[in-house]
């Protein structure tokens, strides 16, 4: 790969609300740019390469890819659409000259659309709007475009940004068109619009090399690797470099390896030059935001601004009776080492050791899903540990106790809207907007404390019979809103250890919803179900049926047990209260009570 004229490069990020079709759109662009050889098997949503991304059907990490349109190289960066991973969007905006803002032709702008657009406008970028999914039966592309324009106005876009270019498309159909009724042949109109509307990168090929580390990865062979856009100059393997942190401290070293992108594949290249998005290896201690340069007198580039975490959990050693039976990495030292390794590469998480004498690590992030992705990755690496109930991060602002407030957007059939509004109001939510569409769908907007959302998502799905859609995004820190109602139902707690029996579970299923099934191993203090009432109940799930020589017509009827409720990791974290823990192993997710008193034991007997 030879040195390329920066005027023949376009760097652009694709941003949108979750499920508006970003990754599918990238699929179409990659397929039609001939990056795959003829007959090559290519998966759908090829940019979602991380195993959890494939399983969850969402993008978690920002990832670059490159395609050619004529003699122009287009570097595309696919970004997450879920608000919990918004830091992945924030850190890549410094690498690009514009963004493709993808808006669903049926739904129009959604919460994350507002967030990513506000960040792009604040950076001075001029977005290109893609009205996607115009081939859906209920699509209303012109209305979606009008609502997008209104959102630009609401977010304070300047006159140049308000005059944004736009195009209609279908990522699944593999076409783009300048008009709704235009030809639907291929993606060529979108490629042409990117070349025309996205500015080429600024900088000089003749200046000393400089690049900011805007992404991190790790290789067992070359150590830490920095991803970024070359601001000036060029870089080759073996070239002398300096790593300058935000405080001006500099470390001398050399480039060990330079990599670029061909499609979504990363490959070693002889040289990276101004405008290219590359990966540089050679500095073992490089951190996100650090400046890599060949100029020994260079000052650090402006730091990357990332939004603050709103929620934290404590990760501690598994102290349950089953500790070490399903995982290999069970000691605090192993857990601490793994989390500090994550800290070095993940700028959106704050990871620190708890200083109250307990062997625990505190992990802070944007939300429960954000935290659960890390915890799920650890369990797949054979770690065992326990985590506490999430707690919101409290700040003192002008001497006043403040908590994070979220803007909550809900779409639900109108028949369920009354119950949802009542519940959120009890949780200190303030309704901002209510609209009922012609299709009988209520669209509700609330401002409410993050605490009010904790533990509610599962109840929301139950209350709306799975037909409701709820999304939220961080708004601001505001004064403490007072007490918020806790989980309404108590839990069923096992009084002893052993194997759960069909006989005991049959007698208990009328008391609530069971989390354990026949044959499951349980231990004292484990939560085996949810009580129908508001109090906790200590129960014996291992008791067997007394055998006798007498038989009656009904005595030996087979027990009919409902299937036990299985928790995903984030559902378990969302469910527990302050005196409960989630036990996470490579094979199991269990809930347990922190303390079981002697009074509880006597009551059970």
């Amino acid at each position: 790969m030879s040195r390329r004229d920066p005027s023949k490069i376009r760097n652009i990020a694709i941003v949108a609300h979750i499920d508006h079709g970003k990754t599918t759109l990238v699929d179409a662009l990659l397929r039609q740019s001939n990056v795959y050889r003829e007959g090559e098997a290519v998966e759908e949503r090829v940019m979602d390469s991380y195993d959890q991304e494939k399983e969850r059907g969402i993008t978690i990490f920002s990832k670059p890819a490159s395609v050619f349109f004529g003699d122009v190289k287009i570097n595309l960066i696919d970004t997450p659409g879920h608000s919990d991973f918004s830091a992945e969007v924030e850190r890549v905006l410094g690498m690009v000259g514009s963004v493709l803002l993808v808006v669903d032709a049926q739904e129009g702008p959604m919460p994350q659309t507002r967030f990513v657009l506000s960040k792009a406008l604040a950076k001075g970028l001029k977005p290109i709007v893609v009205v996607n999914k115009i081939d859906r039966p209920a699509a209303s592309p012109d209305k979606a475009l009008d609502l997008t324009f209104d959102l630009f106005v609401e977010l304070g876009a300047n006159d140049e940004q308000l005059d944004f270019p736009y195009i209609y498309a279908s990522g699944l159909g593999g076409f783009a068109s300048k008009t709704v009724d235009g030809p639907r042949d291929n993606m060529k109109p979108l490629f042409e619009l990117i070349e025309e509307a996205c500015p080429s990168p600024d900088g000089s090929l003749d200046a000393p090399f400089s690049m900011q580390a805007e992404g991190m990865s790790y290789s067992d062979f070359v150590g830490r690797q920095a991803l970024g856009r070359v601001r000036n100059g060029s870089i080759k393997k073996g070239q002398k470099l300096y790593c300058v942190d935000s405080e001006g401290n500099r470390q001398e070293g050399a480039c060990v390896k330079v990599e670029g992108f061909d499609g979504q594949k990363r490959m070693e290249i002889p040289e990276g030059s101004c405008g290219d998005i590359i990966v540089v290896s050679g500095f073992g201690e490089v951190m996100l935001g650090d400046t890599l340069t060949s100029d020994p007198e260079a000052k650090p580039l402006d730091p990357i601004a990332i939004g603050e975490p709103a929620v934290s959990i404590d990760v501690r050693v598994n102290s349950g009776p089953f500790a070490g039976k399903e995982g290999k990495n069970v000691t605090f030292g192993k857990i601490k080492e793994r989390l500090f390794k994550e800290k070095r590469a993940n700028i959106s998480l704050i990871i620190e050791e708890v200083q109250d004498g307990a062997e625990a690590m505190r992990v802070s992030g944007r939300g429960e899903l954000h935290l659960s992705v890390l915890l799920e990755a650890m369990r797949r690496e054979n770690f065992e540990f326990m985590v506490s109930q999430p707690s919101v991060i409290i700040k003192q602002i002008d001497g006043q106790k403040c908590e994070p407030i979220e803007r909550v957007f809900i779409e639900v059939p109108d028949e369920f809207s009354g119950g949802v509004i009542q519940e959120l109001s009890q949780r200190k939510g303030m309704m901002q907007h209510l609209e009922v569409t012609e299709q009988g769908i209520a669209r509700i907007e609330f401002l409410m404390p993050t605490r009010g959302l904790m533990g509610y998502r599962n109840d929301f799905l139950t209350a709306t019979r799975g037909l409701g859609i709820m999304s939220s995004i961080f708004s601001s820190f505001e004064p403490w809103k007072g007490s918020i109602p806790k989980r309404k139902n108590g839990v069923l707690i096992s009084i002893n250890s052993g194997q759960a029996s069909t006989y005991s579970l049959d007698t208990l299923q009328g008391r609530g919803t069971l989390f354990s099934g026949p044959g499951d191993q349980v231990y004292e203090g484990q939560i085996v179900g949810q009580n129908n009432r508001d109090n906790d109940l200590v129960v014996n799930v291992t008791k067997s049926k007394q055998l006798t020589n007498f038989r009656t017509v009904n005595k030996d009827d087979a027990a009919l047990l409902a299937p036990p409720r299985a928790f995903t990791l984030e559902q378990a974290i969302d469910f527990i209260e302050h005196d409960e823990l989630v036990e996470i192993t490579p094979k199991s997710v269990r809930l347990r009570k922190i303390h079981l008193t002697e009074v509880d034991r006597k009551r059970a007997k």
Side-chain angles (χ1 to χ4, degrees):
M1 185 180 295
S2 59
R3 181 180 294 192
R4 179 171 295 275
D5 181 356
S7 67
K8 296 296 184 181
I9 297 175
R10 302 291 185 271
N11 296 321
I12 194 162
I14 303 184
V15 298
H17 184 79
I18 189 170
D19 286 337
H20 278 200
K22 294 178 292 63
T23 307
T24 306
L25 192 70
V26 175
D27 275 0
L29 293 172
L30 289 172
R31 290 176 190 275
Q32 295 185 28
S33 60
N34 300 319
V35 299
Y36 305 117
R37 67 179 184 272
E38 187 175 350
E40 181 178 355
V42 182
E43 297 179 358
E44 291 185 0
R45 299 188 300 276
V46 67
M47 293 295 285
D48 286 346
S49 54
Y50 183 54
D51 54 358
Q52 289 194 57
E53 290 178 321
K54 295 177 182 178
E55 293 165 16
R56 297 172 185 265
I58 61 174
T59 303
I60 295 174
F61 301 109
S62 294
K63 293 174 287 293
S66 72
V67 299
F68 281 90
F69 180 66
D71 61 347
V72 175
K73 181 181 182 181
I74 301 175
N75 293 312
L76 302 164
I77 303 179
D78 187 23
T79 65
H82 196 287
S83 59
D84 274 21
F85 310 108
S86 51
E88 291 289 312
V89 180
E90 293 169 318
R91 71 175 177 81
V92 303
L93 289 180
M95 287 194 282
V96 300
S98 183
V99 295
L100 282 181
L101 180 69
V102 182
V103 179
D104 190 301
Q106 179 178 339
E107 296 181 344
M110 295 291 279
Q112 186 69 3
T113 315
R114 171 188 293 271
F115 173 82
V116 294
L117 178 58
S118 66
K119 292 295 180 182
L121 296 176
K123 279 275 187 181
L125 302 177
K126 185 178 178 181
I128 300 168
V129 175
V130 180
V131 183
N132 195 30
K133 304 184 184 180
I134 65 168
D135 51 351
R136 295 177 68 178
S140 180
D142 290 333
K143 181 180 179 182
L145 188 61
D146 290 341
L147 291 172
T148 305
F149 180 84
D150 293 343
L151 183 59
F152 271 73
V153 174
E154 183 182 340
L155 295 176
N158 59 38
D159 290 343
E160 186 181 359
Q161 291 169 328
L162 284 174
D163 188 24
F164 56 82
Y166 61 89
I167 198 165
Y168 302 96
S170 169
L172 193 62
F175 66 82
S177 176
K178 294 180 180 179
T179 62
V180 175
D181 300 321
R184 300 185 173 189
D185 301 325
N186 51 43
M187 281 290 178
K188 185 179 178 181
L190 180 53
F191 281 119
E192 292 174 340
L193 184 58
I194 292 173
E195 181 182 359
E196 175 190 340
C198 178
S200 57
D202 53 10
S204 170
L205 275 170
D206 300 322
F209 169 77
S210 66
M211 183 189 98
Q212 188 166 35
E214 290 163 302
M216 303 299 303
S217 58
Y218 181 82
S219 165
D220 292 333
F221 301 102
V222 294
R224 291 165 69 78
Q225 301 171 297
L227 167 74
R229 172 175 63 88
V230 180
R231 306 291 180 95
N232 287 294
S234 60
I235 179 71
K236 294 181 178 179
K237 181 178 179 179
Q239 187 172 330
K240 185 177 179 180
L241 290 179
Y242 300 89
C243 178
V244 188
D245 66 19
S246 58
E247 297 178 357
N249 301 314
R250 63 190 64 237
Q251 171 191 353
E252 186 176 335
C255 175
V256 173
K257 190 178 185 181
V258 182
E259 294 173 287
F261 294 88
D262 180 16
Q264 82 277 14
K265 299 173 184 175
R266 214 163 90 176
M267 55 185 291
E268 187 169 359
I269 57 176
E271 182 180 25
S273 57
C274 180
D276 283 334
I277 293 178
I278 61 171
V279 178
V280 175
S281 307
F283 287 88
E285 299 302 320
V286 64
M287 298 292 289
L288 281 162
D290 287 356
T291 302
L292 297 179
T293 178
S294 59
D295 182 0
E297 303 298 325
K299 295 182 179 179
L301 296 168
D302 293 337
I304 301 171
I306 298 294
E308 300 176 64
V311 177
S312 68
I313 56 171
D314 288 350
V315 181
R316 59 186 74 178
V317 172
N318 183 4
S319 58
F322 297 164
K325 291 187 176 182
E326 298 177 357
K328 294 181 180 178
N329 301 312
V330 297
T331 65
F332 180 67
K334 289 279 188 181
I335 295 171
K336 180 179 178 180
E337 180 184 356
R338 172 63 179 84
L339 289 174
F340 276 138
K341 179 182 176 182
E342 186 74 21
K343 180 180 181 179
R344 290 195 294 270
N346 196 334
I347 193 173
S348 60
L349 292 172
I350 294 178
I351 299 173
E352 55 196 353
E353 189 171 355
V354 177
Q355 300 298 325
D356 60 2
E359 286 192 332
M361 299 291 293
R362 184 155 296 152
V363 183
S364 305
R366 290 287 180 92
E368 289 138 307
L369 178 59
H370 188 199
L371 299 173
S372 71
V373 167
L374 170 61
L375 302 178
E376 179 64 31
M378 290 177 64
R379 74 182 293 208
R380 295 183 184 196
E381 296 167 15
N382 274 319
F383 280 85
E384 273 192 21
F385 49 91
M386 288 187 167
V387 298
S388 66
Q389 180 194 35
S391 58
V392 297
I393 294 174
I394 307 300
K395 294 177 65 175
Q396 292 290 330
I397 301 176
D398 297 329
Q400 195 168 15
K401 181 181 179 182
C402 294
E403 64 175 324
I405 302 295
E406 300 202 30
R407 190 173 292 274
V408 183
F409 300 85
I410 291 171
E411 288 191 8
V412 66
D414 190 34
E415 60 188 288
F416 302 118
S417 61
V420 171
I421 292 171
Q422 180 180 0
E423 181 65 27
L424 292 185
S425 298
Q426 291 176 353
R427 292 170 173 265
K428 306 295 184 182
M430 298 284 291
M431 189 166 66
Q432 306 294 301
H433 178 74
L434 172 62
E435 173 193 3
V436 181
T437 67
E438 295 176 356
Q439 293 77 28
I441 301 297
R443 292 180 173 175
I444 315 166
E445 181 180 335
F446 269 87
L447 278 176
M448 64 183 301
T450 302
R451 288 184 299 133
L453 285 177
M454 290 180 177
Y456 177 63
R457 296 183 191 274
N458 293 329
D459 294 341
F460 172 76
L461 291 176
T462 302
T464 61
R465 299 180 187 174
L467 300 175
I469 300 173
M470 181 170 68
S471 56
S472 64
I473 192 163
F474 173 77
S475 175
S476 61
F477 278 88
E478 294 185 11
W480 184 262
K481 302 299 182 183
S483 62
I484 290 177
K486 299 179 181 179
R487 186 181 66 208
K488 294 179 180 179
N489 297 81
V491 291
L492 305 177
I493 309 165
S494 176
I495 188 59
N496 48 15
S497 302
Q499 189 178 72
S501 70
T502 303
Y503 172 74
S504 291
L505 294 174
D506 185 38
T507 61
L508 290 172
Q509 66 177 347
R511 297 285 188 100
T513 303
L514 297 175
F515 303 159
S516 298
D520 289 351
Q521 293 292 330
V522 300
Y523 56 78
E524 181 182 344
Q526 181 177 332
I527 296 173
V528 294
Q530 182 174 8
N531 195 0
N532 286 335
R533 299 184 178 183
D534 59 2
N535 62 298
D536 292 344
L537 186 65
V538 181
V539 297
N540 183 353
V541 295
T542 65
K543 185 178 181 181
S544 300
K545 182 178 181 180
Q546 296 297 320
L547 300 179
T548 71
N549 291 326
F550 296 98
R551 296 290 182 267
T552 67
V553 173
N554 298 320
K555 194 171 184 69
D556 295 315
D557 284 350
L560 296 176
L561 291 176
R565 178 180 175 183
F567 284 97
T568 63
L569 203 152
E570 55 264 29
Q571 286 173 340
I573 293 172
D574 195 44
F575 178 82
I576 60 173
E577 287 289 345
H578 67 93
D579 60 344
E580 297 164 1
L581 297 170
V582 180
E583 178 186 350
I584 301 169
T585 76
K587 297 180 181 179
S588 307
V589 175
R590 303 183 185 94
L591 312 181
R592 64 169 291 185
K593 210 74 173 173
I594 295 178
H595 299 294
L596 195 61
T597 66
E598 195 61 37
V599 174
D600 292 327
R601 295 186 178 91
K602 289 180 179 178
R603 189 178 298 155
K605 292 178 181 178

